[in-house]
Amino acid sequence: MLFSSVTFLYWFFPIFLILYFAAPKKIKNSILLFGSLFFYFWGEPIYTLLMFGTTLIGWVCGLLIEKYRGTAISKAALLASIIIGLGSLGVFKYSDFFIESLNSLKLFSLKTLGIALPIGISFYTFQILSYTIDLYRGNAAVQKSLINFGAYVSLFPQLIAGPIVRYTDVAEDLEYRTVTLEKISSGAFRFVVGLGKKVLVANVLGELCSIYKASDEKSVLFVWIYAIAYSLHIYFDFSGYSDMAIGLGRIMGFRFIENFNYPYISKSITEFWRRWHISLGTWFRDYVYIPLGGNRAKPARHIFNIFVVWFLTGFWHGAGWTFISWGIYFFIFLILEKYFLQKLFKKLPVVFSHIYTVIVLIFGWILFDAASMTEAFKTIGSMFGAGGLPFANTTTLYYLRSYGVALIAGLFGSLPLLKNLVTKLEGTKFGKAYTILEPVALVFILLMVTAYLIDGSYNPFIYFRF
């Protein structure tokens, strides 16, 4: 079930909220758990059992870690949690990739399993692992209630596409959260803004990307338009979903961490990855990078640590060599910045580092979106006229006119211009006018979104495949 669907907006969520707010405080987590399981069951009826089974194992392992703390049994429970969690992820997400890779060596002829990828498995697996690891380290308190732990893992606002919420971030909210008008108001605002980003910007730009891929009349300009459109599309698609998740959580009294912080204003790739998918970056930092030695090691070891993190980051995003190559691609630039480029950028006007960052990102997103390495290199070559492409043609100009407003909206919306303007106007007469106009604007966005969805337009979500 998509947040950006009529079913969710006008059926599931209103009914859920009525039940949730009407329920006594002591059973709110039960309502949340069963509502979340129904939400997941709607799209993944069979794999709901997998998620619940994985949750049950994580909960039992947590109890054993706490009960036998300081013994071999505690360590065995932690290892069991890690092996079962990563093992299920390996079977359901990566088994066919490993089989196909072995077959490509011409030494085997194994049959692929054809297992469908359970939606959200990458997210809820990492959430369970963060709980058992933090519990073993002594950074979290054991959760003795299966209802509360199940509500944490299956929490529907962030279940299928993040942000990756750690148990320590919501442990207190699971027990003592309160709902106020301020939280409901700010949560509704955040949800509608995210919904608008997803439906009115990301979907339109995604439509343009699909048109480009299906077109037989490409040009150099059309390739660049596609590359820019996809870079904006994936940002608004994922950050819009994160905004919706954060907003829904806030309505119910939860505080989720921010997942995006205007990443396209970055002056380096290093800064970009501190602003993009923050919950994933900090997860790999705390559970992989630092345990490997982080930046306290000698340069060779430090480089190896970063390589491992970015190999895994790429592999986490998808079972394919393009995703692994995408991770290694960014590893290379992070190392170059760490040891060479940052010193150079300090001597140059800041505009150069901005341009460098944007170009590296655009090529990176082309690799991310490509079905194969061959396709990625072909697209990048086409950006410079390879294959005899004309600079522009009538088809390119037609789609540029048709989607120009969406591209401009995406470009401006990826910058904190409006946010900074509102901040400056706070306390002035214009700020008071904005306070009055804000709910009107939100209702308008919701009406626009509803009309778009009823029209049955393009509405997939990229991160479901992860």
Side-chain angles (χ1 to χ4, degrees):
M1 191 186 305
L2 290 168
F3 291 165
S4 54
S5 68
V6 173
T7 302
F8 178 85
L9 292 173
Y10 295 105
W11 290 98
F12 173 82
F13 192 53
I15 293 172
F16 170 81
L17 278 186
I18 292 171
L19 295 173
Y20 181 78
F21 287 130
K25 185 175 182 180
K26 64 182 180 180
I27 67 167
K28 282 191 185 296
N29 283 349
S30 297
I31 297 295
L32 181 56
L33 172 60
F34 289 112
S36 297
L37 290 175
F38 178 83
F39 174 85
Y40 194 77
F41 182 86
W42 183 273
E44 295 278 22
I46 299 297
Y47 286 143
T48 303
L49 296 174
L50 172 66
M51 182 186 69
F52 185 77
T54 307
T55 300
L56 180 61
I57 291 170
W59 177 69
V60 171
C61 287
L63 294 178
L64 293 173
I65 289 170
E66 180 65 20
K67 182 176 181 179
Y68 297 100
R69 182 169 297 281
T71 70
I73 295 176
S74 181
K75 178 177 283 189
L78 173 64
L79 291 175
S81 170
I82 294 172
I83 291 170
I84 293 171
L86 296 182
S88 64
L89 194 60
V91 170
F92 287 94
K93 186 171 182 176
Y94 299 108
S95 56
D96 280 354
F97 169 76
F98 289 126
I99 290 171
E100 290 169 359
S101 297
L102 287 173
N103 288 343
S104 68
L105 299 175
K106 308 299 182 184
L107 299 175
F108 303 91
S109 183
L110 305 174
K111 186 177 180 180
T112 56
L113 303 180
I115 300 174
L117 176 65
I119 292 175
I121 188 172
S122 298
F123 292 92
Y124 68 70
T125 298
F126 273 26
Q127 291 190 184
I128 294 171
L129 291 179
S130 74
Y131 166 73
T132 54
I133 294 171
D134 283 345
L135 181 60
Y136 183 81
R137 290 174 173 176
N139 297 331
V142 68
Q143 177 53 259
K144 295 182 179 180
S145 168
L146 179 58
I147 295 291
N148 289 358
F149 186 71
Y152 155 66
V153 176
S154 65
L155 196 60
F156 76 84
Q158 49 77 57
L159 169 62
I160 52 181
I164 300 171
V165 176
R166 302 188 200 183
Y167 178 76
T168 51
D169 293 333
V170 295
E172 185 175 348
D173 288 341
L174 280 169
E175 304 285 351
Y176 307 111
R177 67 185 178 278
T178 57
V179 177
T180 64
L181 284 176
E182 187 279 328
K183 287 182 180 178
I184 293 173
S185 175
S186 63
F189 172 83
R190 190 67 178 269
F191 176 80
V192 174
V193 168
L195 185 65
K197 287 166 71 173
K198 161 63 181 164
V199 176
L200 303 179
V201 182
N203 284 2
V204 176
L205 294 174
E207 201 172 53
L208 175 57
C209 294
S210 296
I211 290 171
Y212 162 81
K213 291 178 182 179
S215 176
D216 293 326
E217 299 183 43
K218 294 182 174 65
S219 67
V220 172
L221 180 58
F222 204 177
V223 184
W224 278 95
I225 291 171
Y226 150 73
I228 294 170
Y230 185 78
S231 300
L232 294 171
H233 164 63
I234 193 171
Y235 168 66
F236 281 95
D237 198 67
F238 194 20
S239 70
Y241 192 100
S242 292
D243 286 341
M244 288 187 277
I246 291 168
L248 291 174
R250 194 171 296 172
I251 289 171
M252 290 181 277
F254 290 94
R255 284 277 178 176
F256 299 158
I257 65 169
E258 293 296 333
N259 211 23
F260 289 85
N261 183 21
Y262 296 100
Y264 287 140
I265 67 172
S266 302
K267 299 180 289 298
S268 67
I269 299 302
T270 303
E271 181 184 356
F272 175 83
W273 285 110
R274 290 178 184 145
R275 294 174 174 270
W276 178 282
H277 204 344
I278 298 168
S279 63
L280 179 66
T282 54
W283 198 98
F284 275 114
R285 179 197 67 197
D286 293 342
Y287 300 110
V288 179
Y289 180 66
I290 292 177
L292 285 173
N295 58 7
R296 298 185 301 276
K298 294 180 179 179
R301 177 68 190 203
H302 178 222
I303 292 171
F304 172 78
N305 294 344
I306 296 175
F307 173 81
V308 170
V309 167
W310 281 94
F311 178 91
L312 293 176
T313 299
F315 205 31
W316 180 90
H317 277 87
W321 288 108
T322 52
F323 293 107
I324 292 173
S325 300
W326 174 81
I328 295 173
Y329 171 85
F330 281 109
F331 153 74
I332 291 171
F333 281 100
L334 289 169
I335 292 301
L336 288 174
E337 288 181 2
K338 174 69 177 177
Y339 291 98
F340 304 104
L341 294 179
Q342 290 287 20
K343 297 176 183 178
L344 175 63
F345 289 148
K346 289 179 180 179
K347 301 177 181 178
L348 298 173
V350 71
V351 66
F352 288 99
S353 59
H354 275 299
I355 293 172
Y356 146 82
T357 302
V358 169
I359 291 175
V360 171
L361 290 172
I362 286 175
F363 289 155
W365 290 131
I366 288 174
L367 179 58
F368 187 87
D369 189 42
S372 66
M373 295 299 298
T374 301
E375 180 184 304
F377 288 128
K378 182 179 179 181
T379 301
I380 293 172
S382 297
M383 297 174 78
F384 301 96
L389 286 182
F391 176 76
N393 54 30
T394 54
T395 299
T396 300
L397 298 177
Y398 170 78
Y399 287 117
L400 181 59
R401 287 192 297 269
S402 300
Y403 289 89
V405 173
L407 286 165
I408 292 171
L411 288 169
F412 277 97
S414 66
L415 305 175
L417 300 175
L418 182 59
K419 179 183 177 181
N420 292 341
L421 178 62
V422 170
T423 301
K424 288 181 179 179
L425 292 177
E426 286 181 352
T428 69
K429 60 181 180 180
F430 297 105
K432 295 178 181 178
Y434 173 80
T435 303
I436 297 172
L437 291 174
E438 182 183 284
V440 176
L442 293 181
V443 171
F444 177 74
I445 291 172
L446 188 58
L447 291 174
M448 289 283 290
V449 166
T450 302
Y452 192 96
L453 295 177
I454 291 174
D455 184 51
S457 301
Y458 179 96
N459 191 35
F461 179 63
I462 292 175
Y463 267 73
F464 279 172
R465 62 178 173 172
F466 308 137

